[in-house]
Amino acid sequence: MQDFLHKLPQFIGNHAALAALFAILLIALIVVQVSLLFGKSKELTPAGLTQLINRDSPLLIDLSAIADFEKMHVPGARHVLMSQFDPEHKDLAKARELPVVVMDKDGRGNSVKASQRLVKAGFQKVYTLGGGVLSWQQAQLPVAKGRQ
């Protein structure tokens, strides 16, 4: 271990770009994890989403690309394009007291941004599906196809 620590400054000096990239990725990972930990939205597993659906009948919003949504989506999910997603829209504002689950294809992008917007707009029960619709499918849960 001490040999590693003695060679580390030399490695960083010889590979500055690689070391900088590693530092940036590490900081980004920490920021994402802290925001998930302390954020008002919670990440659900497919099993957790199943329990929520059975218990509370949440509003399910799928922000996947339309082609991905038509290939597969969680039954009962409504498709919304991210460019048209507006937490202040009158139809969505009516659901302010309901649990809202936001998902996308892989759980990496739009769902997190949309959940943060919902929390800022005053929604109290905001969830994301960890791993997105792909994790739902991998858990061998039923998927719907088409536009509905």
Side-chain angles (χ1 to χ4, degrees), residues 1-147:
M1 182 67 167
Q2 286 193 1
D3 188 41
F4 170 77
L5 293 176
H6 288 295
K7 292 182 179 179
L8 185 60
Q10 180 183 0
F11 177 82
I12 292 172
N14 292 338
H15 305 284
L18 185 61
L21 180 62
F22 174 76
I24 291 169
L25 290 174
L26 182 62
I27 290 169
L29 180 64
I30 290 170
V31 167
V32 167
Q33 292 302 316
V34 167
S35 69
L36 286 174
L37 184 63
F38 294 110
K40 300 253 182 184
S41 68
K42 297 170 184 69
E43 185 174 277
L44 294 173
T45 63
L49 177 54
T50 302
Q51 289 176 346
L52 185 65
I53 290 170
N54 291 333
R55 187 180 62 231
D56 291 333
S57 300
L59 173 61
L60 305 174
I61 300 173
D62 191 325
L63 299 167
S64 303
I66 188 68
D68 293 328
F69 181 80
E70 289 177 355
K71 286 180 188 174
M72 69 174 173
H73 57 272
V74 175
R78 296 181 186 179
H79 183 258
V80 178
L81 293 172
M82 186 62 184
S83 61
Q84 296 175 343
F85 180 77
D86 180 13
E88 300 297 331
H89 189 273
K90 63 181 178 177
D91 292 336
L92 190 54
K94 293 176 187 175
R96 200 173 295 265
E97 301 304 318
L98 290 175
V100 179
V101 181
V102 186
M103 63 193 81
D104 55 20
K105 180 180 177 181
D106 56 12
R108 293 186 188 163
N110 290 335
S111 60
V112 174
K113 293 174 191 172
S115 68
Q116 291 170 348
R117 288 177 61 187
L118 286 169
V119 168
K120 285 182 183 177
F123 286 75
Q124 298 298 312
K125 301 173 189 171
V126 180
Y127 303 91
T128 58
L129 177 58
V133 179
L134 290 176
S135 70
W136 180 267
Q137 179 193 36
Q138 289 169 352
Q140 299 180 344
L141 293 164
V143 294
K145 297 181 186 217
R147 291 186 180 259

